[in-house]
Amino acid sequence: MAARPAKSSKPPRLKQTPTTKDAPTKMVAPRPEKFNKEQELAAYREMLLIRRFEEKAGQLYGMGFIGGFCHLYIGQEAVVVGMQMAMIEGDQVITGYRDHGHMLACGMSPDGVMAELTGRRGGLSKGKGGSMHMFSKEKNFYGGHGIVGAQVSLGTGLGFANQYRDNGNVSLTYFGDGASNQGQVYESFNMASLWKLPVIYIIENNRYAMGTAVSRASAQTDFAQRGASFNIPGMQVDGMDVRAVKAAADLAADYCRSGQGPIILEMQTYRYRGHSMSDPAKYRSKDEVQKMRAEHDPIEQVKLRLIEGKHASEDDLKAIDKEIRDIVAKSADYAQNDPEPDPSELYTDILR
Amino acid sequence: MPTNILMPALSPTMEEGNLAKWLVKEGDTVSSGDVIAEIETDKATMEVEAVDEGTIARIVVPAGSEAVKVNAVIAILAAEGEDVAAAASGGPAGAEAMPQVAEAPKEAVSQDAGSSAAGGGAPAPTHVPAQVKVADDPDIPAGTEMVSMTVREALNSAMAEEMRRDEDVLIMGEEVAEYQGAYKITQGLLEEFGARRVIDTPITEHGFAGIGVGAAMAGLKPIVEFMTFNFAMQAIDQIINSAAKTLYMSGGQMGAPMVFRGPNGAAARVAAQHSQCYAAWYSHIPGLKVVQPYTAADAKGLLKAAIRDPNPVIFLENEILYGQSFEVPKIEDFVLPIGKARIHRSGGDATIVSFGIGMTYAIKAADRLAEAGISCEVIDLRTIRPMDLDTVIASVRKTGRLVTVEEGFPQSSVGDHIASQVMQRAFDYLDAPVVTICGKDVPMPYAANLEKLALPTVDEVVEAVKAVSYA
């Protein structure tokens, strides 16, 4: 009988071989960029549009106008708005199923997004995609994907196409802390780094993969280091501060456009709502949510700076609020009254 | 105008719920995002947040109420500046204004599902894929020079020609470049087209299939080679959920114009994990085209068509056929239509339908049956999806007898689909039940004798045709 190793309470010690000759892949995020008045106001409007839109979507879901799954972006607005501020014409965006905010930030019509949520013919996918599957060729938005992690390989393919065409564009590939544990993410990291593809991997770490806290699902919770095995640099960014996101986005875009390959931005953010509309969010305390809203809300931060910097008065902001509410109310109205798709649409768009 | 706060639906299936608790009282001011109530659904207790700002004018449904219908007014909110007392006394604003979500008309669903061929009031056939227009075969002019070519050479020249023709066509996969292809299908392509367009990937099928789909969504026309389709199982999510469905999900805005190709089915003595036919699997999926050629001419003409096709095409090859030679017309730019079966030989007594390597059994069986005085019509499907059932049915109307042949597993096989369609569309023309010859219902064994037993045999096909012919 083979001898069993003696049980020991101490784990065996391994000889450590220092490997410091390789460049460290963990980068320090740049300081938040100082915004001028126009940038602050633009960020405020964009984020407010997403928040009000999502609140309305939640309401329409409650009224039965929106079916199936509906994942709201409330709390995470600074991430996509800050990223978009660094982008140029032709850069592509792709994300998972929490996608309404990304579409609005890409300039897709609120009417079209909302009508897709209600499954109507004026929806961006003619009512055939729904909340999780929307696209816009015109705005370079490549979805909208319901399979966790699939967009990472697809987004890497968008970067591949940019390199193939040598067009100077980058692919903004968004995914969450949950998707970060999928195998195809690392297959994609490997090829992106090997081939120096222009891809910014934006990990929106909102701390929960559905109901599982990052510490319960991830052996390495520093997502900026998830590319270390592939020599992909990464940094952790305050995803609640739109200026910090913008500064990191500029750095990342320059890095990719200069042909150095992919880069990872871990956006430390938070979703206020449950994972989807049917999630009571019992896996976290109310205090945690409340503290985040009170101290780190991305919109309130900008609002405060606008007032304190005398860039806008309370009345100015109220006027913007009203304008945004009107846009959202119009989209809700359109989405409720637009007809359902014609039955003949059942058999279209299967093949070209 | 005061705003009604409605009982929300908090899950896809919720119709009613219990109003467990109010966290606000009448007269309280609320702003959007404030939690105002707790609701018990069939799954969980959920918080309800205020959407609008204002003052709670009236609580209509008290805490503790059970089975409150979704969309019932549970409270009334007076907006800033509105008279709270008036709002409270006014009754629900626009009450009973339940949203009307029209039900999809049911009768329209099967409208395009083919026409009834059997007549006599037979029910319309079901389970028919959406109709696809297919071009006719190009006429090969009389006197066209034919050259002998292996299937391998045909596939190789098809890719080379299309890559010369279109800069957006590229090939990626394991060992396709420097190694010259695990089965030498990509031999010489690296030398001609360079490493930008002929790309060796790491052994990561899921990842490079996804990268290929992403590149296709961006407008490139990738050929993704799987060393065998057994390994495409790692990538099947990207093939089906991303490549096949994106065109539909995007309302026609973008799709995946690409080819997934590689050897499929049993090779020789490589056992269960390397010997499986995926024709029936992929043929199940709307949004894909599925091609499996037998001859070198079809391999060439159909691969060129697949590369040009704006849809994702699954192109199933066979390792055993790679080295076999066939006559290929010497025509510049020889392209065949996807979705068109080919009558390999005409006959009047029985129809044998097969595809890919299955054709080897069908042809040998037809030869032997001819000697026995039974004239078989042998149809090579060439494309599994969209399937050219019209050609099959026209033949069955003539012969009244049908045998299908394939190497794949028997349950839900390609033959099963053909049998079902022929039964629904040509029942009155059948003189005998359809017989489907398939691989045996076992994982592929390694031992040479068992492997032979697991595959179809010419004898089985001969016996099946005799059985349906009552000969």
mmCIF file of all heavy atoms in Angstrom, chain B residues 7-8 14-22 37-42 44-46 48 59-70 72-75:
data_model
loop_
_atom_site.group_PDB
_atom_site.id
_atom_site.type_symbol
_atom_site.label_atom_id
_atom_site.label_comp_id
_atom_site.label_asym_id
_atom_site.label_seq_id
_atom_site.Cartn_x
_atom_site.Cartn_y
_atom_site.Cartn_z
ATOM 1 N N MET B 7 -49.779 48.524 -8.977
ATOM 2 C CA MET B 7 -49.191 47.268 -8.513
ATOM 3 C C MET B 7 -48.257 46.759 -9.622
ATOM 4 O O MET B 7 -48.693 46.482 -10.744
ATOM 5 C CB MET B 7 -50.303 46.250 -8.274
ATOM 6 C CG MET B 7 -49.815 44.915 -7.757
ATOM 7 S SD MET B 7 -49.285 45.050 -6.037
ATOM 8 C CE MET B 7 -49.005 43.319 -5.672
ATOM 9 N N PRO B 8 -46.961 46.655 -9.334
ATOM 10 C CA PRO B 8 -46.050 46.262 -10.415
ATOM 11 C C PRO B 8 -45.951 44.749 -10.593
ATOM 12 O O PRO B 8 -46.113 43.997 -9.637
ATOM 13 C CB PRO B 8 -44.709 46.833 -9.956
ATOM 14 C CG PRO B 8 -44.803 46.855 -8.466
ATOM 15 C CD PRO B 8 -46.257 46.972 -8.089
ATOM 16 N N MET B 14 -45.583 36.917 -12.978
ATOM 17 C CA MET B 14 -46.445 37.391 -11.893
ATOM 18 C C MET B 14 -47.744 38.006 -12.420
ATOM 19 O O MET B 14 -47.723 38.836 -13.315
ATOM 20 C CB MET B 14 -45.686 38.434 -11.074
ATOM 21 C CG MET B 14 -46.509 39.091 -9.993
ATOM 22 S SD MET B 14 -45.503 40.275 -9.062
ATOM 23 C CE MET B 14 -46.806 41.189 -8.236
ATOM 24 N N GLU B 15 -48.874 37.595 -11.855
ATOM 25 C CA GLU B 15 -50.168 38.195 -12.205
ATOM 26 C C GLU B 15 -50.783 38.947 -11.036
ATOM 27 O O GLU B 15 -51.553 39.866 -11.210
ATOM 28 C CB GLU B 15 -51.128 37.119 -12.721
ATOM 29 C CG GLU B 15 -50.718 36.644 -14.113
ATOM 30 C CD GLU B 15 -51.550 35.483 -14.604
ATOM 31 O OE1 GLU B 15 -52.505 35.088 -13.902
ATOM 32 O OE2 GLU B 15 -51.229 34.972 -15.682
ATOM 33 N N GLU B 16 -50.461 38.479 -9.819
ATOM 34 C CA GLU B 16 -50.937 39.182 -8.641
ATOM 35 C C GLU B 16 -49.947 38.978 -7.512
ATOM 36 O O GLU B 16 -49.055 38.125 -7.603
ATOM 37 C CB GLU B 16 -52.329 38.661 -8.236
ATOM 38 C CG GLU B 16 -52.329 37.172 -7.945
ATOM 39 C CD GLU B 16 -53.706 36.639 -7.580
ATOM 40 O OE1 GLU B 16 -54.690 37.127 -8.140
ATOM 41 O OE2 GLU B 16 -53.755 35.771 -6.709
ATOM 42 N N GLY B 17 -50.093 39.767 -6.458
ATOM 43 C CA GLY B 17 -49.174 39.640 -5.335
ATOM 44 C C GLY B 17 -49.797 40.231 -4.091
ATOM 45 O O GLY B 17 -50.889 40.818 -4.136
ATOM 46 N N ASN B 18 -49.101 40.053 -2.962
ATOM 47 C CA ASN B 18 -49.589 40.605 -1.708
ATOM 48 C C ASN B 18 -48.863 41.911 -1.412
ATOM 49 O O ASN B 18 -47.654 41.983 -1.552
ATOM 50 C CB ASN B 18 -49.330 39.623 -0.561
ATOM 51 C CG ASN B 18 -49.947 38.262 -0.858
ATOM 52 O OD1 ASN B 18 -50.916 38.168 -1.616
ATOM 53 N ND2 ASN B 18 -49.388 37.233 -0.265
ATOM 54 N N LEU B 19 -49.627 42.894 -0.999
ATOM 55 C CA LEU B 19 -48.993 44.147 -0.610
ATOM 56 C C LEU B 19 -48.620 44.003 0.864
ATOM 57 O O LEU B 19 -49.453 44.153 1.754
ATOM 58 C CB LEU B 19 -49.946 45.314 -0.851
ATOM 59 C CG LEU B 19 -49.229 46.642 -1.121
ATOM 60 C CD1 LEU B 19 -50.152 47.646 -1.770
ATOM 61 C CD2 LEU B 19 -48.557 47.215 0.105
ATOM 62 N N ALA B 20 -47.361 43.637 1.109
ATOM 63 C CA ALA B 20 -46.958 43.261 2.459
ATOM 64 C C ALA B 20 -46.884 44.459 3.390
ATOM 65 O O ALA B 20 -47.327 44.410 4.531
ATOM 66 C CB ALA B 20 -45.616 42.547 2.405
ATOM 67 N N LYS B 21 -46.350 45.559 2.891
ATOM 68 C CA LYS B 21 -46.022 46.625 3.814
ATOM 69 C C LYS B 21 -45.896 47.941 3.064
ATOM 70 O O LYS B 21 -45.362 47.986 1.951
ATOM 71 C CB LYS B 21 -44.665 46.279 4.430
ATOM 72 C CG LYS B 21 -44.259 47.059 5.640
ATOM 73 C CD LYS B 21 -43.138 46.257 6.300
ATOM 74 C CE LYS B 21 -42.059 47.030 6.905
ATOM 75 N NZ LYS B 21 -40.894 46.231 7.217
ATOM 76 N N TRP B 22 -46.401 48.982 3.660
ATOM 77 C CA TRP B 22 -46.125 50.330 3.144
ATOM 78 C C TRP B 22 -44.974 50.927 3.943
ATOM 79 O O TRP B 22 -44.959 50.827 5.172
ATOM 80 C CB TRP B 22 -47.359 51.238 3.278
ATOM 81 C CG TRP B 22 -48.349 51.024 2.188
ATOM 82 C CD1 TRP B 22 -49.524 50.355 2.280
ATOM 83 C CD2 TRP B 22 -48.245 51.470 0.844
ATOM 84 N NE1 TRP B 22 -50.179 50.331 1.075
ATOM 85 C CE2 TRP B 22 -49.396 51.030 0.163
ATOM 86 C CE3 TRP B 22 -47.292 52.200 0.124
ATOM 87 C CZ2 TRP B 22 -49.628 51.289 -1.185
ATOM 88 C CZ3 TRP B 22 -47.515 52.459 -1.209
ATOM 89 C CH2 TRP B 22 -48.676 52.003 -1.863
ATOM 90 N N ALA B 37 -42.834 50.591 -0.773
ATOM 91 C CA ALA B 37 -43.650 49.464 -0.315
ATOM 92 C C ALA B 37 -42.897 48.162 -0.523
ATOM 93 O O ALA B 37 -41.902 48.112 -1.258
ATOM 94 C CB ALA B 37 -44.976 49.422 -1.084
ATOM 95 N N GLU B 38 -43.382 47.122 0.120
ATOM 96 C CA GLU B 38 -42.842 45.783 -0.101
ATOM 97 C C GLU B 38 -43.966 44.891 -0.620
ATOM 98 O O GLU B 38 -45.078 44.928 -0.107
ATOM 99 C CB GLU B 38 -42.289 45.193 1.198
ATOM 100 C CG GLU B 38 -40.937 45.763 1.551
ATOM 101 C CD GLU B 38 -40.344 45.150 2.810
ATOM 102 O OE1 GLU B 38 -40.956 44.209 3.369
ATOM 103 O OE2 GLU B 38 -39.283 45.630 3.232
ATOM 104 N N ILE B 39 -43.625 44.104 -1.609
ATOM 105 C CA ILE B 39 -44.634 43.258 -2.243
ATOM 106 C C ILE B 39 -44.149 41.822 -2.268
ATOM 107 O O ILE B 39 -42.980 41.561 -2.606
ATOM 108 C CB ILE B 39 -44.920 43.782 -3.664
ATOM 109 C CG1 ILE B 39 -45.753 45.055 -3.539
ATOM 110 C CG2 ILE B 39 -45.638 42.742 -4.522
ATOM 111 C CD1 ILE B 39 -45.992 45.773 -4.802
ATOM 112 N N GLU B 40 -45.020 40.916 -1.867
ATOM 113 C CA GLU B 40 -44.670 39.493 -1.934
ATOM 114 C C GLU B 40 -45.148 38.931 -3.261
ATOM 115 O O GLU B 40 -46.328 39.033 -3.603
ATOM 116 C CB GLU B 40 -45.375 38.716 -0.818
ATOM 117 C CG GLU B 40 -44.768 38.917 0.554
ATOM 118 C CD GLU B 40 -45.642 38.298 1.645
ATOM 119 O OE1 GLU B 40 -46.518 37.470 1.323
ATOM 120 O OE2 GLU B 40 -45.444 38.679 2.801
ATOM 121 N N THR B 41 -44.219 38.349 -4.002
ATOM 122 C CA THR B 41 -44.612 37.676 -5.237
ATOM 123 C C THR B 41 -44.567 36.178 -4.980
ATOM 124 O O THR B 41 -44.279 35.743 -3.870
ATOM 125 C CB THR B 41 -43.641 38.014 -6.385
ATOM 126 O OG1 THR B 41 -42.402 37.352 -6.124
ATOM 127 C CG2 THR B 41 -43.394 39.505 -6.471
ATOM 128 N N ASP B 42 -44.826 35.417 -6.017
ATOM 129 C CA ASP B 42 -44.765 33.971 -5.853
ATOM 130 C C ASP B 42 -43.340 33.503 -5.567
ATOM 131 O O ASP B 42 -43.122 32.403 -5.114
ATOM 132 C CB ASP B 42 -45.317 33.274 -7.116
ATOM 133 C CG ASP B 42 -44.724 33.850 -8.394
ATOM 134 O OD1 ASP B 42 -44.113 34.937 -8.331
ATOM 135 O OD2 ASP B 42 -44.888 33.221 -9.447
ATOM 136 N N ALA B 44 -40.593 35.847 -4.211
ATOM 137 C CA ALA B 44 -39.774 36.586 -3.257
ATOM 138 C C ALA B 44 -40.527 37.810 -2.779
ATOM 139 O O ALA B 44 -41.585 38.162 -3.310
ATOM 140 C CB ALA B 44 -38.471 37.027 -3.934
ATOM 141 N N THR B 45 -39.967 38.444 -1.750
ATOM 142 C CA THR B 45 -40.497 39.735 -1.335
ATOM 143 C C THR B 45 -39.651 40.820 -1.976
ATOM 144 O O THR B 45 -38.428 40.808 -1.869
ATOM 145 C CB THR B 45 -40.463 39.866 0.197
ATOM 146 O OG1 THR B 45 -41.255 38.825 0.745
ATOM 147 C CG2 THR B 45 -41.014 41.207 0.633
ATOM 148 N N MET B 46 -40.319 41.734 -2.663
ATOM 149 C CA MET B 46 -39.608 42.730 -3.452
ATOM 150 C C MET B 46 -39.954 44.126 -2.969
ATOM 151 O O MET B 46 -41.055 44.374 -2.501
ATOM 152 C CB MET B 46 -40.052 42.626 -4.918
ATOM 153 C CG MET B 46 -39.864 41.275 -5.534
ATOM 154 S SD MET B 46 -38.205 41.046 -6.110
ATOM 155 C CE MET B 46 -38.107 42.358 -7.311
ATOM 156 N N VAL B 48 -40.661 48.083 -3.778
ATOM 157 C CA VAL B 48 -41.162 48.917 -4.866
ATOM 158 C C VAL B 48 -40.581 50.310 -4.688
ATOM 159 O O VAL B 48 -40.669 50.886 -3.620
ATOM 160 C CB VAL B 48 -42.700 48.996 -4.828
ATOM 161 C CG1 VAL B 48 -43.201 49.883 -5.958
ATOM 162 C CG2 VAL B 48 -43.300 47.613 -4.919
ATOM 163 N N ILE B 59 -53.316 56.290 0.041
ATOM 164 C CA ILE B 59 -52.961 54.887 -0.104
ATOM 165 C C ILE B 59 -54.250 54.138 -0.388
ATOM 166 O O ILE B 59 -55.168 54.116 0.442
ATOM 167 C CB ILE B 59 -52.231 54.368 1.153
ATOM 168 C CG1 ILE B 59 -50.814 54.953 1.173
ATOM 169 C CG2 ILE B 59 -52.214 52.844 1.182
ATOM 170 C CD1 ILE B 59 -49.992 54.639 2.385
ATOM 171 N N VAL B 60 -54.357 53.571 -1.558
ATOM 172 C CA VAL B 60 -55.614 52.962 -2.001
ATOM 173 C C VAL B 60 -55.722 51.527 -1.507
ATOM 174 O O VAL B 60 -56.783 51.074 -1.089
ATOM 175 C CB VAL B 60 -55.715 53.018 -3.551
ATOM 176 C CG1 VAL B 60 -57.000 52.368 -4.039
ATOM 177 C CG2 VAL B 60 -55.614 54.457 -4.054
ATOM 178 N N VAL B 61 -54.614 50.801 -1.584
ATOM 179 C CA VAL B 61 -54.628 49.397 -1.152
ATOM 180 C C VAL B 61 -53.832 49.305 0.150
ATOM 181 O O VAL B 61 -52.628 49.562 0.169
ATOM 182 C CB VAL B 61 -54.005 48.485 -2.225
ATOM 183 C CG1 VAL B 61 -53.901 47.054 -1.722
ATOM 184 C CG2 VAL B 61 -54.826 48.554 -3.497
ATOM 185 N N PRO B 62 -54.474 48.955 1.234
ATOM 186 C CA PRO B 62 -53.760 48.963 2.510
ATOM 187 C C PRO B 62 -52.763 47.809 2.627
ATOM 188 O O PRO B 62 -52.882 46.796 1.926
ATOM 189 C CB PRO B 62 -54.879 48.812 3.544
ATOM 190 C CG PRO B 62 -56.021 48.207 2.809
ATOM 191 C CD PRO B 62 -55.892 48.596 1.362
ATOM 192 N N ALA B 63 -51.817 47.995 3.525
ATOM 193 C CA ALA B 63 -50.833 46.950 3.787
ATOM 194 C C ALA B 63 -51.548 45.683 4.239
ATOM 195 O O ALA B 63 -52.591 45.743 4.900
ATOM 196 C CB ALA B 63 -49.858 47.413 4.862
ATOM 197 N N GLY B 64 -51.027 44.545 3.868
ATOM 198 C CA GLY B 64 -51.636 43.278 4.256
ATOM 199 C C GLY B 64 -52.618 42.755 3.226
ATOM 200 O O GLY B 64 -53.103 41.626 3.345
ATOM 201 N N SER B 65 -52.910 43.544 2.208
ATOM 202 C CA SER B 65 -53.860 43.084 1.188
ATOM 203 C C SER B 65 -53.247 41.946 0.380
ATOM 204 O O SER B 65 -52.086 42.010 -0.018
ATOM 205 C CB SER B 65 -54.214 44.229 0.233
ATOM 206 O OG SER B 65 -54.780 45.291 0.957
ATOM 207 N N GLU B 66 -54.054 40.941 0.135
ATOM 208 C CA GLU B 66 -53.551 39.792 -0.622
ATOM 209 C C GLU B 66 -54.128 39.781 -2.026
ATOM 210 O O GLU B 66 -55.182 40.356 -2.281
ATOM 211 C CB GLU B 66 -53.914 38.484 0.115
ATOM 212 C CG GLU B 66 -53.200 38.393 1.445
ATOM 213 C CD GLU B 66 -53.329 37.029 2.097
ATOM 214 O OE1 GLU B 66 -54.071 36.182 1.566
ATOM 215 O OE2 GLU B 66 -52.666 36.843 3.130
ATOM 216 N N ALA B 67 -53.432 39.071 -2.910
ATOM 217 C CA ALA B 67 -53.883 38.857 -4.294
ATOM 218 C C ALA B 67 -54.266 40.161 -4.986
ATOM 219 O O ALA B 67 -55.319 40.272 -5.606
ATOM 220 C CB ALA B 67 -55.046 37.866 -4.327
ATOM 221 N N VAL B 68 -53.409 41.143 -4.843
ATOM 222 C CA VAL B 68 -53.645 42.410 -5.549
ATOM 223 C C VAL B 68 -53.196 42.219 -7.001
ATOM 224 O O VAL B 68 -52.062 41.811 -7.264
ATOM 225 C CB VAL B 68 -52.841 43.558 -4.890
ATOM 226 C CG1 VAL B 68 -53.114 44.871 -5.605
ATOM 227 C CG2 VAL B 68 -53.170 43.651 -3.408
ATOM 228 N N LYS B 69 -54.091 42.494 -7.921
ATOM 229 C CA LYS B 69 -53.790 42.266 -9.340
ATOM 230 C C LYS B 69 -52.721 43.238 -9.823
ATOM 231 O O LYS B 69 -52.713 44.405 -9.417
ATOM 232 C CB LYS B 69 -55.044 42.477 -10.196
ATOM 233 C CG LYS B 69 -56.145 41.485 -9.893
ATOM 234 C CD LYS B 69 -55.905 40.178 -10.611
ATOM 235 C CE LYS B 69 -57.029 39.191 -10.314
ATOM 236 N NZ LYS B 69 -56.555 37.805 -10.299
ATOM 237 N N VAL B 70 -51.884 42.754 -10.702
ATOM 238 C CA VAL B 70 -50.900 43.613 -11.351
ATOM 239 C C VAL B 70 -51.625 44.747 -12.063
ATOM 240 O O VAL B 70 -52.673 44.522 -12.687
ATOM 241 C CB VAL B 70 -50.063 42.790 -12.355
ATOM 242 C CG1 VAL B 70 -49.308 43.691 -13.315
ATOM 243 C CG2 VAL B 70 -49.082 41.898 -11.605
ATOM 244 N N ALA B 72 -53.231 47.156 -10.661
ATOM 245 C CA ALA B 72 -54.247 47.818 -9.852
ATOM 246 C C ALA B 72 -53.619 49.068 -9.239
ATOM 247 O O ALA B 72 -52.426 49.080 -8.924
ATOM 248 C CB ALA B 72 -54.726 46.875 -8.750
ATOM 249 N N VAL B 73 -54.424 50.110 -9.061
ATOM 250 C CA VAL B 73 -53.908 51.335 -8.445
ATOM 251 C C VAL B 73 -53.744 51.070 -6.956
ATOM 252 O O VAL B 73 -54.687 50.689 -6.268
ATOM 253 C CB VAL B 73 -54.874 52.509 -8.679
ATOM 254 C CG1 VAL B 73 -54.375 53.750 -7.949
ATOM 255 C CG2 VAL B 73 -55.020 52.787 -10.173
ATOM 256 N N ILE B 74 -52.518 51.255 -6.457
ATOM 257 C CA ILE B 74 -52.297 51.002 -5.031
ATOM 258 C C ILE B 74 -52.132 52.292 -4.242
ATOM 259 O O ILE B 74 -52.317 52.311 -3.035
ATOM 260 C CB ILE B 74 -51.091 50.059 -4.798
ATOM 261 C CG1 ILE B 74 -49.810 50.607 -5.435
ATOM 262 C CG2 ILE B 74 -51.395 48.655 -5.336
ATOM 263 C CD1 ILE B 74 -48.562 49.794 -5.098
ATOM 264 N N ALA B 75 -51.799 53.374 -4.918
ATOM 265 C CA ALA B 75 -51.686 54.664 -4.227
ATOM 266 C C ALA B 75 -51.760 55.781 -5.254
ATOM 267 O O ALA B 75 -51.627 55.546 -6.457
ATOM 268 C CB ALA B 75 -50.368 54.749 -3.463
#
